[in-house]
Amino acid sequence: MTDRNKTYANNRLIGIQRRQLMHDELFHRDIARLPTKDRLTHLVLHCSKYCGYLYSSLSKKEDVLVDFTIVTISILNTLNSKITLETLDIPLVPEGIEKSLVIQTGRLASACERIDHLEDWSYKERIIAESRTILGIIFGYFDHHNLDLFAMISYRLEGVQKKSIFYKDLIEIYNALLAQ
């Protein structure tokens, strides 16, 4: 990948990360205001739910992976960790991604449990590393299948936003914040 393409990709990554932050602050205020540990646990529970969906025939795989991505970005935002190409390990051919995502999610759950027990362990670093691995797996899948993950994320966020009774008011604020 050329330096120009890397710069473009990194700009898209920080853009989607910023967009997710604004979305969470405006449309998921209840979760955004939880104490950090509670928020992380909530988000990891979402990841666990998506692992189950990946193994059921009731959900379209790509839709589940979009939601998985959104929640994982929220985890990294919670921990103030920037996403760049350099921080992601993207597999060339993402075979068996369901199993890989279950393993990574189990590691996230383990980190949350270790926080509860106040174990001598580097929680933040481990949660960031596992979250970046999850994103790398999912980005690799979408890249391998030539699917536009960023467009799918935008579409999904908009669908969630429209469910708010304050959508018309909040979307103006959201768009103004993104334009800054």
Side-chain angles (χ1 to χ4, degrees):
M1 183 179 284
T2 67
D3 285 342
R4 183 178 176 162
N5 286 344
K6 283 182 184 176
T7 300
Y8 174 75
N10 281 330
N11 286 340
R12 285 193 82 188
L13 286 169
I14 195 64
I16 203 71
Q17 191 171 7
R18 183 172 180 239
R19 186 176 197 153
Q20 184 61 45
L21 175 68
M22 297 302 140
H23 172 85
D24 287 344
E25 290 293 325
L26 292 171
F27 294 95
H28 298 289
R29 294 170 42 107
D30 52 341
I31 304 307
R33 281 154 185 65
L34 287 173
T36 302
K37 194 273 178 204
D38 294 342
R39 184 173 182 189
L40 289 171
T41 299
H42 176 84
L43 295 169
V44 171
L45 286 171
H46 270 284
C47 292
S48 298
K49 174 177 71 174
Y50 301 141
C51 286
Y53 288 172
L54 286 172
Y55 281 98
S56 86
S57 59
L58 301 176
S59 301
K60 185 177 172 195
K61 184 176 190 173
E62 286 78 14
D63 292 343
V64 174
L65 293 175
V66 167
D67 287 346
F68 217 131
T69 302
I70 288 168
V71 168
T72 305
I73 292 170
S74 289
I75 290 170
L76 290 167
N77 282 346
T78 299
L79 297 175
N80 196 38
S81 178
K82 187 176 180 180
I83 305 166
T84 66
L85 286 178
E86 295 75 24
T87 63
L88 301 177
D89 181 21
I90 301 174
L92 295 176
V93 181
E95 307 239 356
I97 67 167
E98 293 88 352
K99 181 178 178 182
S100 297
L101 292 172
V102 167
I103 291 168
Q104 296 310 129
T105 299
R107 290 177 179 167
L108 286 175
S110 176
C112 288
E113 181 187 26
R114 288 172 185 237
I115 294 170
D116 285 341
H117 294 291
L118 295 175
E119 292 181 26
D120 187 17
W121 202 65
S122 54
Y123 317 105
K124 182 177 180 180
E125 294 79 9
R126 295 308 320 147
I127 293 170
I128 289 170
E130 304 307 341
S131 297
R132 287 177 176 169
T133 300
I134 288 170
L135 287 183
I137 292 166
I138 295 172
F139 287 4
Y141 176 87
F142 277 84
D143 185 56
H144 181 73
H145 293 283
N146 294 315
L147 298 169
D148 187 349
L149 176 60
F150 294 109
M152 293 175 81
I153 289 171
S154 296
Y155 179 78
R156 179 69 175 123
L157 292 179
E158 185 178 338
V160 171
Q161 292 165 351
K162 286 182 176 179
K163 292 178 183 178
S164 171
I165 62 171
F166 300 110
Y167 171 73
K168 289 183 180 185
D169 298 319
L170 293 175
I171 199 65
E172 289 179 25
I173 296 167
Y174 178 78
N175 289 329
L177 289 170
L178 289 177
Q180 292 180 358

